[in-house]
Amino acid sequence: MTFEEFAAGHLAAARRFAAVLIGDQTWGDDLVQEVLVRAHARWRRIGSMDRPEFYVRKMIVNEFLSSRRRTWWLVPAGSGTDIDQRVTPDHATSQADRDALLTELGKLPAQQRAVLVLRYYEGLSDGRIAELLGLPLDAVNVKAKTGEGVGLIGRAEAMSCQAVALIEERINT
């Protein structure tokens, strides 16, 4: 049996075993990854055994036990506020920006909304937009540059990249 065949046939069971052993799926996956890296390096010997899955399971248990013995150095001393003073961004802001922009887009007439989306989201030229919508070129320019559209685009350009990505995600769904 090759290592690839073994991994394809026994990976799911090894992951479940490690997750139950550790009590956490993510740590269990990390443990299995560490063990499989070592098993791959020794696969000639392990693969020649009658039941290599038992040996790999034993490797998982041994790694679990040895990792529990050495985790004391992973636990930082002091209080949590002493360790991490980073400021994390508020993801609700980008969500609110996205919702506000989509609300404003929804208030525009359909043709003006189409012009703005084709121009700023799709990046099309005014000539291509005019062709797609069957409008004169001057009408495309007017719709792109009138009142609400200009304010809306100013707000969109001021938003963070993350909010724009969220808008794209909502538009795509």
Side-chain angles (χ1 to χ4, degrees):
M1 169 184 304
T2 67
F3 178 78
E4 290 77 14
E5 292 169 340
F6 173 82
H10 297 281
L11 180 62
R15 290 181 64 218
R16 283 191 305 269
F17 174 71
V20 171
L21 188 64
I22 291 179
D24 182 80
Q25 182 68 50
T26 305
W27 286 10
D29 288 348
D30 289 347
L31 184 88
V32 169
Q33 181 179 351
E34 290 294 323
V35 166
L36 289 179
V37 166
R38 285 203 316 276
H40 183 265
R42 301 180 194 128
W43 191 251
R44 227 180 282 208
R45 184 173 55 86
I46 296 170
S48 66
M49 296 177 174
D50 291 337
R51 302 290 305 263
E53 63 270 17
F54 292 143
Y55 188 83
V56 171
R57 185 177 299 149
K58 180 65 175 170
M59 290 176 70
I60 291 171
V61 170
N62 289 342
E63 179 65 22
F64 168 71
L65 294 173
S66 68
S67 67
R68 287 186 55 111
R69 285 192 292 265
R70 67 177 177 255
T71 55
W72 63 268
W73 60 268
L74 295 175
V75 179
S79 69
T81 57
D82 295 339
I83 296 166
D84 193 358
Q85 296 290 334
R86 293 177 291 188
V87 176
T88 57
D90 184 4
H91 299 291
T93 302
S94 61
Q95 195 75 12
D97 287 346
R98 184 201 78 184
D99 288 343
L101 181 61
L102 289 172
T103 300
E104 293 300 316
L105 262 175
K107 292 177 184 177
L108 296 175
Q111 247 183 9
Q112 186 176 15
R113 187 176 346 143
V115 167
L116 292 174
V117 169
L118 290 169
R119 178 186 258 188
Y120 294 102
Y121 180 73
E122 292 292 324
L124 298 181
S125 68
D126 288 349
R128 182 74 178 121
I129 295 170
E131 180 185 327
L132 282 172
L133 298 179
L135 295 172
L137 187 59
D138 293 339
V140 170
N141 287 328
V142 168
K143 289 185 185 304
K145 296 178 181 172
T146 54
E148 307 96 21
V150 173
L152 184 63
I153 295 307
R155 283 184 51 199
E157 289 173 348
M159 288 171 44
S160 68
C161 293
Q162 184 179 12
V164 172
L166 289 170
I167 291 168
E168 291 175 4
E169 176 183 276
R170 171 124 182 232
I171 289 171
N172 289 330
T173 57

